[in-house]
Amino acid sequence: MSLSNIPTSSLKQFRSPLTRTPGDLLIEIALFLELRQDLLNFCLTSNYVFSNVSSVLYETVVLESVEQCRLTLGMLSRNNGIARHVRHLVIRPQARHRTYFTLDHNAAASAAVRETVGSMCLDALVRFIWDADELPYHDDMWFALRAGCPQLRYIGTSIGTVLPYVNSHLFDFHDLKGFFLTLKNGFYEHHTDLFTDEEHPVFQNFRTMLIRRSPNLEELMIAGFSTVPTDVHFLLEGRWPKLRKLALGDVCVDWFHRSLNPGEKRPFIAFLEAHPGLESLSLSRHTIQPIHLTTLDPAALSQVTHFSGTHQQLHALTHVHHSVKSVVFRDPVETRDVSAPTVASLLRDLTSLTSLKISFTLHSMYDSGNLLRSLIQSCPRLRHLELTCAHKPSFQIDAFAKTIRGFPKLRTLHLAIVRYPGDETLASGAARIARSNPRLHKFSLTFIPPVYPVPLPFSLPYRPFPFPFPAHATGMFEVSCDQHGLPLSLSAVEHSRFVWPWGMGVSKRTRKYLQDLRPFSYPGRRKTGVRGLMGLVVERSSAGEEMRMILFCVFLAVLAGCGIVANGANKMARLAAVDREHRMAIPM
């Protein structure tokens, strides 16, 4: 029976209660959904929900391929009711296919942006980021953004081999609140000296736009990764009273062409003291030497709550230890040079720390013995932990799951380790972590390959077998608990990357599943019949061990019975043969 044959009065019984929910309440519900897939499913519940919640779904749009740029931006240009909700637009046209991104792809993506913003449909856009190896092919895309998005105050771009034109529309923006520049490999290879040549017109345009025409700058980022940093010391000329976030990658700013006068401070130290409103500070090892940070005025950086840099730089900023809540160590900590207790003593001084991202480079399989316990003792209030242990196997999943119980407030976890040979798989390891730590709302587990073969007697020095070996495997997991806080289920998404031997290529696999975490003795959980018996036999529990022992005893009894029967049959056969011989020997 189809719905068209049901009376209208009866259809009212099928309407969801969400259709009678106020729109502002639906928005509050949507804001609590952290995964975009969950938010999309919520929006697709009904037209009423979509009309109220689409403002949350489309507030931030991230496009990661040229095809996505064409389809999504085309859809936005045709649907002004949806486009008016877009406030943040991020274009990464080569995020999925980095090696196949050509000049034509760049032109297609930038043209799609130009046409969409030119239709005046993105009038609420506040932030725009272009992230590719090169600048947009169509420079007039910046003109279309400036003309079609009157509220645009945060812009970002990347620079590679090709520099912007002298009269590029990129430099026509004024009164910016945020500027984000990413220096790609092509820039470091060909234009490292750009910002030191004060006569270069591109350098002069950057200086004019940022320092003279953007006095209300709140966020500034110059990112890039290179062993040879570029000099951007011209930024220290700027004075932005509202500056809250400063992020500097592999760039040098503390450049000084003469000796310091008595009582004079280094340029970057003076810059930091002139911006007391900084809340987020991100540095690299090239930005400034840690010893120079000790000359900073104790009253400076009093509002910093997020720090990213090296542990030596953080150690020098002793006066911000009490206020820092989030720490990201940009460079891996070498366990050969810095011991775990040394890092733990530094973290112990951060009394307000709730979020930590740290990575260790292990030079021995036994370097991680006290590492985790040191972190637990020094960071008892930690709520978010991102831990990476590379080069060598560090933790076994079972021991790790039991040890992190020492983090009583931990809610999210991201763990990347080198897997022990024969240790748990992603699925079984995640289940063990979830059962031991049900308070974890979300966590991820990643197996990364070792730098070189693990020196174990049973490790293979080479791989002669024509089978794929996982080079990288990661899983994202979400734990569901009952009203008593006990784990019920684990929803998972696994991504595996396999490297075929002999240079035959790389294959990828994605798997989604839902795993029941309730005990096997839970009512309704245990299966009946043959499948239940087989599940009990392979179950890793006391009941499973007892069942395996019973089956083994039964097998021995059956084997003994078969031996007794076979032995009795042999005796009977021999007696019958002797009897026949005697009868044949008696004369008739």
Side-chain angles (χ1 to χ4, degrees), residues 139-178:
D139 183 75
D140 54 353
M141 182 196 75
W142 300 111
F143 173 79
L145 283 166
R146 190 167 56 87
C149 307
Q151 301 185 45
L152 186 61
R153 291 294 179 268
Y154 299 84
I155 64 170
T157 186
S158 54
I159 298 181
T161 306
V162 180
L163 294 178
Y165 301 121
V166 175
N167 56 350
S168 173
H169 293 287
L170 173 64
F171 305 119
D172 293 339
F173 287 92
H174 59 86
D175 197 22
L176 291 175
K177 292 185 178 181

Side-chain angles (χ1 to χ4, degrees), residues 4 28 31 44 69 96 101 110 119 148 152 232 305 345 387 433 462 529:
S4 58
E28 291 296 328
L31 291 175
L44 296 179
C69 292
R96 297 185 179 179
F101 191 73
S110 56
S119 63
L152 186 61
V232 293
T305 58
S345 63
L387 177 63
I433 293 176
Y462 63 94

Side-chain angles (χ1 to χ4, degrees), residues 298-342:
L301 304 181
S302 60
Q303 299 185 26
V304 171
T305 58
H306 171 80
F307 175 82
S308 176
T310 63
H311 70 278
Q312 295 92 343
Q313 292 171 340
L314 181 59
H315 185 270
L317 295 171
T318 56
H319 58 283
V320 303
H321 288 179
H322 68 282
S323 61
V324 172
K325 298 180 180 180
S326 175
V327 170
V328 175
F329 288 113
R330 181 182 173 94
D331 298 332
V333 178
E334 300 282 344
T335 55
R336 178 181 297 173
D337 302 329
V338 182
S339 62
T342 302

Side-chain angles (χ1 to χ4, degrees), residues 18 40 56 62 110 113 195 274 285 288 326 342 420 456 507 552:
L18 293 176
L40 176 61
V56 181
V62 181
S110 56
V113 175
F195 298 109
R285 64 184 184 276
I288 186 173
S326 175
T342 302
Y420 263 96
L456 293 177
S507 59
F552 182 69

